[in-house]
Amino acid sequence: MKTLSLFIFFLVPFTSFANDDKLKEAEELFSSGNIEGAIQLLTDHLTDSPDDINAYLLRADYYSLSGKLSLAAEDLIAAEKISDDHPRIYSIRGNLEMLVDNYNEAIKNYKRSLEIDSTNAVVLNSIAIAYFKSGKSSDCMKYFEKSIELDSTNPDTFANFGLVLFYSNDTLGAIKNLTKAVELNPASVKNIIQLGALYDNIGEHNKAITIYNKAIDYDPENGEAYCRRGIAKFNSGEFKGALYDFETGLKLNPELEDQVKSYIEDAEKYIEEKE
């Protein structure tokens, strides 16, 4: 059986400034997928309110999520000049360190954030990932459990915990947590896809195909969902159906070509042998 290794962790954005109309508007733009619009709104706001630490922090968060790490770092420095005891300065800085694989520095910053506010479930989720990435599984599990204890409604925490369990060879535990993540957010295509991949990994290919169908229903333009479904069909012997899904998926996301090339070659070979 073949599998496609595309499992990834998700850093959860540090948002929610519901009491500030301008920042709330930025959050709404971000939630709708308009991250550049959110950044521009915050930039305009900071021109009028240059001492708004939360605006710097929110923009730093969005910069980091859009890959503009140096700009995010500059905003954190600006925020630190206003107040050096705001927990989000260190949690977002931890995220920046995670993005460059500097896990020990990430842990250091997350711990500093938790010293200021020990009840932030998102930071607990993030430090758990950092510990796992640095090879400290017991600390990772401890922080995930704390995060879920504080907030049992965050789907990305369950998704990340599920991936940790998968990489720790506990596939059934991974499925349980990814299933919970999908229950909490049924429209999260990324979590649906990873749940399907887990079922495919344990040989339940038809179950995986059914799950991928849901992902495609939610997002018909998602090339990964088609390629994943193609792999499940390949693993169940549906080679013609697999080729259709690979072709469709690569039209939508050509970057996956190297990862499915061998499946396509083998599927074509098996079809030719049968004919």
Side-chain angles (χ1 to χ4, degrees):
M1 182 185 70
K2 292 188 174 187
T3 58
L4 179 60
S5 297
L6 288 177
F7 293 104
I8 57 172
F9 294 96
F10 304 100
L11 291 177
V12 184
F14 299 100
T15 59
S16 188
F17 292 97
N19 294 326
D20 187 304
D21 290 341
K22 189 63 67 173
L23 302 192
K24 185 64 177 176
E25 185 179 348
E27 288 182 339
E28 290 171 354
L29 286 170
F30 171 80
S31 297
S32 69
N34 187 1
I35 190 168
E36 292 301 325
I39 289 172
Q40 186 58 54
L41 186 149
L42 291 168
T43 300
D44 294 341
H45 172 65
L46 283 166
T47 300
D48 298 327
S49 304
D51 293 327
D52 188 341
I53 188 171
N54 286 329
Y56 280 112
L57 292 172
L58 192 57
R59 190 172 67 173
D61 203 11
Y62 294 163
Y63 275 142
S64 69
L65 291 169
S66 58
K68 299 175 181 178
L69 306 189
S70 60
L71 292 175
E74 289 176 10
D75 273 356
L76 293 179
I77 292 171
E80 202 166 12
K81 289 178 180 178
I82 298 170
S83 174
D84 64 358
D85 63 352
H86 197 300
R88 286 195 180 186
I89 294 172
Y90 306 100
S91 56
I92 296 172
R93 188 168 284 152
N95 277 2
L96 294 182
E97 298 292 354
M98 287 286 286
L99 291 170
V100 294
D101 299 334
N102 196 347
Y103 305 125
N104 288 332
E105 281 300 311
I107 290 169
K108 177 181 175 181
N109 279 282
Y110 291 142
K111 281 188 172 181
R112 173 64 178 134
S113 178
L114 290 169
E115 287 173 1
I116 301 169
D117 178 10
S118 63
T119 63
N120 191 312
V122 172
V123 181
L124 291 167
N125 172 64
S126 299
I127 196 172
I129 299 171
Y131 270 119
F132 180 76
K133 290 283 193 175
S134 62
K136 299 174 182 176
S137 297
S138 60
D139 287 318
C140 164
M141 298 294 182
K142 177 180 70 175
Y143 279 103
F144 266 129
E145 289 168 359
K146 286 183 178 180
S147 179
I148 292 171
E149 182 180 345
L150 283 170
D151 181 5
S152 60
T153 64
N154 190 321
D156 283 335
T157 299
F158 284 98
N160 284 331
F161 192 21
L163 296 184
V164 164
L165 293 172
F166 169 75
Y167 287 120
S168 302
N169 298 315
D170 182 2
T171 304
L172 294 180
I175 287 173
K176 177 181 177 181
N177 279 275
L178 261 297
T179 299
K180 180 66 173 179
V182 172
E183 288 174 355
L184 289 169
N185 185 4
S188 174
V189 173
K190 67 179 186 290
N191 288 340
I192 295 172
I193 288 173
Q194 297 203 120
L195 178 60
L198 291 174
Y199 275 108
D200 197 31
N201 191 268
I202 63 172
E204 294 195 29
H205 310 307
N206 290 333
K207 176 74 171 179
I209 290 169
T210 299
I211 292 171
Y212 293 137
N213 289 342
K214 292 180 181 179
I216 292 168
D217 286 342
Y218 277 114
D219 185 4
E221 302 299 311
N222 192 301
E224 183 186 351
Y226 280 100
C227 286
R228 290 278 196 177
R229 190 175 70 177
I231 292 171
K233 289 180 179 179
F234 177 96
N235 287 330
S236 64
E238 297 180 41
F239 301 120
K240 289 185 178 180
L243 285 178
Y244 169 81
D245 278 349
F246 292 141
E247 180 181 353
T248 304
L250 290 178
K251 285 180 180 178
L252 295 168
N253 188 351
E255 293 181 0
L256 293 173
E257 182 176 3
D258 288 343
Q259 300 187 61
V260 299
K261 184 178 180 180
S262 66
Y263 295 98
I264 293 172
E265 292 173 350
D266 287 346
E268 290 174 341
K269 181 180 69 174
Y270 294 143
I271 291 171
E272 184 178 344
E273 289 175 353
K274 286 186 177 182
E275 294 177 347

